[in-house]
Amino acid sequence: MSIETKQADQWQFLQTYTPARIARGRAGHSLPTAELLHFQADHAQARDAVYSELKVLELFQALLSTFNLEVLRLQSEVKSRSQYLQRPDLGRTLSEASRKILLEEEATEADICFVLADGLSATAINEHAFAFLDKLMPKLTEANWQIAPICIVEQGRVAIADEIGFILKAKIVVMLIGERPGLSSPNSMGAYITYQPKLGLTDESRNCISNIRPEGLSYEMAVEKMWYLLQEMNVKKISGVNLKDEMQDNLLN
């Protein structure tokens, strides 16, 4: 019976700077057994995140009781998680029942609308969406921004926010969504911001803040980035590739 001998990796010091799977050593031509098991565990965790479910009732109650705003529960045209993964187009489209809910709102013009969707990791929204909004809302309130009802969407993809924002007459829509899980980041939340949302927009019309989580981009830094982009959009009336992110340059001046 052979005994595995782990060989040291000269790049191991890089693990100090990143949680990425790098410099994990080797045993012969393969990974050491312990690292292989860690890989399998991380892979299983990422798969679990894809099939995780929104804690809709908990989110609903927390948002409603804290922000004193109307909260709407919506769904895309997707009928199952397997369909969600196979038919991205259905995840971008509101169900007829949800569209009716929005139309019955008889919305007045708002400055901003927040949409929360499971995406590819409901875990990310369950863990981070409320904490992020809790830090951002005071800035909006202080600046007297009019906020549309908050929408929680099950089985949703990024573009579904465009129709929601349009129906609710919001100048800006912010989609908080679970990002594609990585082996070291199964709970990463992304924020997509669009000025003048409407059906038919594509990714070049949106700005994105990615990897929002304590182990990645902290809530505080994400909120500062978000607030900067929101103010820029509000003044310049643009978003996406037309809006240059000069936040770092402004801080250095």
Side-chain angles (χ1 to χ4, degrees), residues 27-192:
H29 297 292
S30 183
L31 286 170
T33 299
E35 291 300 332
L36 178 60
L37 293 174
H38 288 155
F39 171 84
Q40 292 174 335
D42 288 345
H43 185 262
Q45 193 174 36
R47 286 177 59 88
D48 287 346
V50 171
Y51 288 93
S52 60
E53 296 182 357
L54 278 176
K55 297 180 179 178
V56 178
L57 294 180
E58 291 184 21
L59 280 171
F60 189 95
Q61 291 297 332
L63 295 169
L64 188 65
S65 61
T66 304
F67 302 128
N68 195 31
L69 292 167
E70 187 177 4
V71 182
L72 304 176
R73 181 175 179 178
L74 308 173
Q75 292 183 318
S76 72
E77 286 191 334
V78 172
K79 305 302 181 186
S80 66
R81 197 58 179 170
S82 60
Q83 188 182 55
Y84 178 87
L85 298 173
Q86 296 172 33
R87 292 287 305 274
D89 57 314
L90 297 181
R92 302 184 187 111
T93 308
L94 281 168
S95 68
E96 283 300 324
S98 293
R99 188 174 294 109
K100 183 179 179 182
I101 289 172
L102 291 176
L103 291 171
E104 289 176 348
E105 282 290 305
E106 297 182 352
T108 56
E109 291 188 0
D111 293 306
I112 192 167
C113 173
F114 289 99
V115 181
L116 282 56
D118 39 16
L120 288 168
S121 175
T123 300
I125 298 301
N126 294 336
E127 294 182 2
H128 308 311
F130 176 81
F132 174 80
L133 288 175
D134 196 35
K135 294 183 180 298
L136 177 61
M137 286 293 189
K139 293 180 178 293
L140 298 172
T141 302
E142 185 177 353
N144 294 316
W145 281 46
Q146 297 300 309
I147 305 172
I150 300 174
C151 299
I152 302 173
V153 183
E154 296 176 82
Q155 308 286 14
R157 291 186 181 265
V158 172
I160 203 170
D162 296 335
E163 184 175 8
I164 294 171
F166 179 79
I167 295 175
L168 293 180
K169 300 180 181 179
K171 285 195 293 186
I172 299 172
V173 66
V174 176
M175 164 64 91
L176 301 180
I177 193 167
E179 297 183 306
R180 186 184 304 276
L183 291 175
S184 60
S185 56
N187 62 342
S188 177
M189 184 177 75
Y192 291 82

Side-chain angles (χ1 to χ4, degrees), residues 12-37:
Q12 192 170 2
F13 72 93
L14 293 174
Q15 294 178 19
T16 305
Y17 305 102
T18 175
R21 194 168 301 281
I22 186 172
R24 300 294 178 167
R26 61 187 178 90
H29 297 292
S30 183
L31 286 170
T33 299
E35 291 300 332
L36 178 60
L37 293 174

